[in-house]
Amino acid sequence: MTYAKRFDGRKPDQIREMEAKIGIIKRADGSAMFRMGKTIAIAAVYGPRELFPAFLQEPARGRLKVIYDLLSFSVTERKKPGPSRRSTEVSMVTENSLEPALNLTKFGYTGLDIYIYITQADAGTRCAGINAATLALVDAGIPMKDLVAAVAVGKVSDKIVVDLNKEEEDHPDGATDMPVAMMPRTGKITLLQLDGSMTKDEIKQALEMAKKACQEINKVQIKALKEKYMEAEKWMTT
Ligand code: ADP
């Protein structure tokens, strides 16, 4: 069987429809929502704030902590609330993918916490989470070297595609999923995972697609930030 036409009619290099919103959680220092098709992530940033217990404090750098989880109602069958092996792993890779964009040495003794919750899951949730968290960090006023944009690329049956949805991940012929995060200005990759198998050439082709898709995601992120700050500017001048 070949995968001639994508289930939702997208072109191989076509990302799902995106939406981004900044400042969605009033009590957080920074927050954002990022939607990729039917996958929705919200992120809230708290800090940098004094870190407790004090023995965790490091004078030379702030401590970044990411807590990622799928909410119980985000998937078709209720997901048991609370952390799991999967959420611990996704939290860790998300931390690693965001850290290169930050300068934690400026925030000695403090902790910077990012909560990422998936309200609706249709594959690619770690990537949507990274896209939301990046915006929440900017909203919190954290200086950043670049934004981080993330997308999953991969192979569905015999076809290399970008931004797989759940139906594609569950293709009867099998699917390979490769989440990628990068800092679009330099092209530096901060997350690269591979669930499945692809040849060297297929990986190269998928990475090219990811690079292009991350540029598009970056544009949506910048647009959302501009919208938020234009609003603030209006408010200040009236
Ligand atoms: P990602 O969401 O980053 O693609 P995975 O490959 O681990 O990460 O998960 C793929 C998709 O499988 C998720 O986006 C979600 O739609 C679904 N999924 C993951 N965990 C569960 C779960 N506990 N119950 C139901 N669906 C899940």
Side-chain angles (χ1 to χ4, degrees), residues 18-54:
M18 290 178 277
E19 188 185 345
K21 203 161 185 237
I22 320 277
I24 54 156
I25 299 160
K26 288 257 177 322
R27 306 216 29 186
D29 293 318
S31 61
M33 179 282 295
F34 202 93
R35 179 174 71 82
M36 304 171 87
K38 291 187 196 134
T39 290
I40 304 175
I42 57 170
V45 169
Y46 294 85
R49 56 187 175 184
E50 198 176 350
L51 186 61
F52 291 108

Side-chain angles (χ1 to χ4, degrees), residues 2-21:
T2 55
Y3 187 50
K5 196 166 186 302
R6 295 182 77 172
F7 292 134
D8 59 6
R10 277 183 292 152
K11 295 190 195 85
D13 63 350
Q14 192 180 345
I15 199 161
R16 289 177 284 185
E17 188 213 353
M18 290 178 277
E19 188 185 345
K21 203 161 185 237

Side-chain angles (χ1 to χ4, degrees), residues 28 70 72 75 92 102 104 168 172 195 200 209 211:
L70 292 167
S72 292
V75 286
M92 191 263 291
L102 301 169
L104 294 174
E168 291 184 316
D195 183 8
K200 196 171 150 188
M209 266 190 192
K211 203 169 170 183

